[in-house]
Amino acid sequence: MIRERAEAYLGAIYRLRVDSETPVALSQLGEYFDFSPVSVHEMVKKLDDQGWLVYHPYHGVTLTERGERVAASLLRRHRLWERFLTDRLDIPWDEAHEIATELEHAASDRVTERLASFLGEPARCPHGGPIPPLSQRPTDESLIDVTPGARGRVTRIAPESAPLLHSVQELGLLPEIKVHVVRQQEDVTIVKVGACEICVPKHIGQAVWI
């Protein structure tokens, strides 16, 4: 359980960060896990002492080289299992995310690579997230940051959570869907998908990448 908790933190930092050098705020981790600030701070200090991450007081955390390897491996397992569950077992993508969260701690690297081969070495998960190792850095941006008038396609949903994935699916903003950003407002982004105009709440828009 302790190992799983540590892996979960490293994986969350990997998912939430902008790049490898910009610290992830502890408040972001707290929101991601729905944990108290005290709980997050205690775990971060333990992982810092063990050499998995670096805690920058008042700024946040970055991964060490060791932490980076563990996080990338964890995310690779998670996203490959999501592909298997959705593509081969027809599990809805929000349910697949929850199941993969359990499986990511159980599969060995040997099983993971056999799974990747079986699936044909997919490059992205069902939500559009790249499966590590990355051949290039992402060049997309979240929907709330896209300039009004711009057109593009949904590349990924990140960070993932079952409720968020369910909401995104209801709005129809799936990976590869073409969108036209009509205007940005304080709490919503107005987009057009085909002839349909959609109001995307900010908490969803910041997780939809274009």
Side-chain angles (χ1 to χ4, degrees):
M1 181 62 71
I2 294 175
R3 180 181 68 84
E4 290 184 9
R5 243 188 112 200
E7 286 183 344
Y9 265 80
L10 298 178
I13 295 167
Y14 193 102
R15 283 182 169 97
L16 294 170
R17 69 187 186 181
V18 176
D19 54 53
S20 60
E21 297 179 357
T22 303
V24 173
L26 269 58
S27 59
Q28 287 182 271
L29 290 172
E31 291 175 7
Y32 183 85
F33 290 115
D34 195 21
F35 290 165
S36 71
V38 172
S39 177
V40 171
H41 186 267
E42 287 179 353
M43 191 60 181
V44 161
K45 288 297 293 177
K46 287 180 183 177
L47 294 174
D48 180 80
D49 291 341
Q50 294 168 7
W52 297 110
L53 56 78
V54 177
Y55 172 49
H56 309 272
Y58 307 108
H59 294 286
V61 292
T62 54
L63 295 173
T64 62
E65 188 174 336
R66 290 174 65 207
E68 183 91 13
R69 286 197 301 268
V70 170
S73 178
L74 183 79
L75 204 60
R76 178 172 175 79
R77 293 196 299 273
H78 180 96
R79 290 177 172 172
L80 285 169
W81 279 116
E82 286 181 322
R83 281 255 71 109
F84 174 77
L85 291 165
T86 56
D87 296 357
R88 303 291 175 164
L89 302 184
D90 294 324
I91 303 293
W93 72 342
D94 50 343
E95 291 182 34
H97 173 71
E98 292 295 291
I99 297 170
T101 299
E102 301 295 328
L103 293 173
E104 69 187 25
H105 301 289
S108 66
D109 288 339
R110 178 171 174 270
V111 171
T112 299
E113 295 317 306
R114 291 290 295 272
L115 181 62
S117 178
F118 174 74
L119 294 171
E121 303 292 345
R124 291 181 175 272
C125 76
H127 320 120
I131 297 175
L134 296 176
S135 58
Q136 58 183 19
R137 303 182 77 167
T139 57
D140 50 9
E141 57 185 333
S142 66
L143 183 59
I144 63 172
D145 295 322
V146 177
T147 303
R151 299 174 185 268
R153 63 179 178 82
V154 178
T155 56
R156 58 191 170 114
I157 312 301
E160 308 104 325
S161 71
L164 177 66
L165 293 172
H166 182 72
S167 298
V168 168
Q169 189 165 28
E170 286 191 328
L171 290 173
L173 296 175
L174 309 180
E176 302 303 323
I177 291 293
K178 293 180 180 179
V179 300
H180 172 206
V181 179
V182 179
R183 61 183 176 275
Q184 297 282 8
Q185 297 179 187
E186 184 176 354
D187 297 317
V188 299
T189 300
I190 312 299
V191 302
K192 290 188 80 171
V193 176
C196 184
E197 196 167 277
I198 302 171
C199 293
V200 185
K202 184 176 181 179
H203 75 281
I204 295 176
Q206 63 189 10
V208 176
W209 294 75
I210 307 296

